[in-house]
Amino acid sequence: MRKPIIAGNWKLNKNIKETVELLEALKKELADIKDVDIAVCPVFTSLVDAAKAIEGSNIKLGAQNVYWEDSGAYTGEIAPAMLKEIGCTYVIIGHSERRTYFGESNETVNKKIKAALVHGLLPIMCIGERLEEREQGKTFAVLEDHLQGGLEGISADDMLKIIIAYEPVWAIGTGKTATPQQAQEAHKYIRDFLKKKYNEDIAAAVRIQYGGSVKPANISELMAQEDLDGALVGGASLKVDSFSQIVKGARK
Ligand code: 13P
């Protein structure tokens, strides 16, 4: 049985004060939840305060990006050990916004995943097709490309530490969620890929999140799909009510 995981990707939103306020409210609202893993990914500058705010709670911390080197002349970057040091459990890698605006590729995603794993961070690897790729019938080809490149050289043991987030780019921030059937079809493709690359047990164990306009109103029908194990939530993770409802709606 895969335990559902709901993670909030706060993107470039909320200062330290707002971060701590939201976390204090979420802690109260979600204190009883034991059957869903919960994570929040605030901006880098809020992570230290966020870690203190959620200490001892059932909410875990993630970062939105990481670099693959440990130290050196890499202006503006942050190393995996530094995220671990301040209490991060997860790190989002290869979000489509990073691929689109910051030139990330399968190759950089792969390096980041490997570096994160070395330092005990659990990667949330994002993959997904753009609208024109879907319209051209290339969805599975894109998923295969992202999976093959991103997971190049990753051992079976390490695969068990990775969460895959299927985020169709056309559904991100658009209010246009993938239908449960579209999501399930992609998630099944991803699980079948893992079966071929690794084996049945690994494929059955890896959690696959859906991301793209997840809201309280659509979480239950998404979670009802066999291969959907949680969500990576953008906009709706910024408010206590909507995020709490999504977490509660993710109970299978
Ligand atoms: P929205 O939930 O705002 O569509 O964003 C999804 C996302 O990009 C999560 O990583």
Side-chain angles (χ1 to χ4, degrees):
M1 242 330 246
R2 297 180 296 269
K3 188 176 181 186
I5 173 162
I6 301 293
N9 174 8
W10 292 8
K11 307 191 181 184
L12 183 48
N13 293 291
K14 297 199 183 286
N15 60 24
I16 293 175
K17 183 168 173 284
E18 292 162 342
T19 297
V20 172
E21 277 169 8
L22 178 53
L23 291 175
E24 292 298 341
L26 286 174
K27 266 200 304 191
K28 279 192 205 119
E29 201 56 47
L30 298 172
D32 296 338
I33 307 284
K34 295 195 175 67
D35 45 359
V36 177
D37 283 339
I38 308 165
V40 291
C41 307
V43 297
F44 283 126
T45 50
S46 296
L47 288 176
V48 171
D49 294 82
K52 283 184 202 137
I54 59 176
E55 211 177 327
S57 79
N58 55 347
I59 302 174
K60 298 270 184 282
L61 194 62
Q64 298 174 19
N65 184 27
V66 68
Y67 194 54
W68 57 80
E69 294 289 349
D70 291 342
S71 64
Y74 305 104
T75 303
E77 295 296 334
I78 296 194
M82 294 167 177
L83 296 178
K84 194 68 190 169
E85 180 186 21
I86 58 166
C88 285
T89 302
Y90 302 99
V91 58
I92 298 172
I93 295 178
H95 191 280
S96 69
E97 286 148 18
R98 297 221 49 94
R99 292 180 192 251
T100 304
Y101 306 135
F102 305 102
E104 296 218 13
S105 63
N106 288 337
E107 199 189 342
T108 62
V109 168
N110 184 249
K111 283 184 176 174
K112 290 180 177 196
I113 289 177
K114 286 175 176 164
L117 288 167
V118 165
H119 294 278
L121 290 167
L122 306 178
I124 299 177
M125 169 180 152
C126 301
I127 63 174
E129 81 287 359
R130 297 163 195 287
L131 183 60
E132 64 269 23
E133 290 166 336
R134 174 163 282 267
E135 285 171 349
Q136 291 162 13
K138 293 185 184 154
T139 298
F140 293 156
V142 172
L143 295 182
E144 173 157 11
D145 177 61
H146 286 175
L147 287 164
Q148 223 146 35
L151 298 175
E152 171 84 44
I154 300 289
S155 70
D157 276 355
D158 277 343
M159 189 62 231
L160 291 171
K161 298 172 194 147
I162 300 172
I163 293 164
I164 295 178
Y166 168 60
E167 299 207 302
V169 180
W170 49 271
I172 295 177
T174 57
K176 201 176 155 201
T177 323
T179 65
Q181 292 70 30
Q182 284 172 324
Q184 167 57 24
E185 191 183 49
H187 283 229
K188 184 173 182 322
Y189 180 86
I190 294 164
R191 210 174 293 290
D192 286 344
F193 176 94
L194 296 174
K195 217 178 279 181
K196 273 183 255 151
K197 182 172 165 78
Y198 299 99
N199 59 48
E200 196 123 0
D201 290 347
I202 304 276
V206 171
R207 293 186 289 185
I208 308 174
Q209 295 178 309
Y210 167 79
S213 299
V214 173
K215 306 176 206 96
N218 58 30
I219 186 67
S220 306
E221 55 177 17
L222 286 163
M223 289 302 292
Q225 303 305 308
E226 193 182 337
D227 290 298
L228 220 136
D229 310 312
L232 185 55
V233 187
S237 71
L238 298 171
K239 294 216 168 82
V240 62
D241 287 351
S242 46
F243 191 64
S244 309
Q245 282 171 37
I246 290 169
V247 170
K248 290 172 187 169
R251 295 164 134 169
K252 282 229 175 184

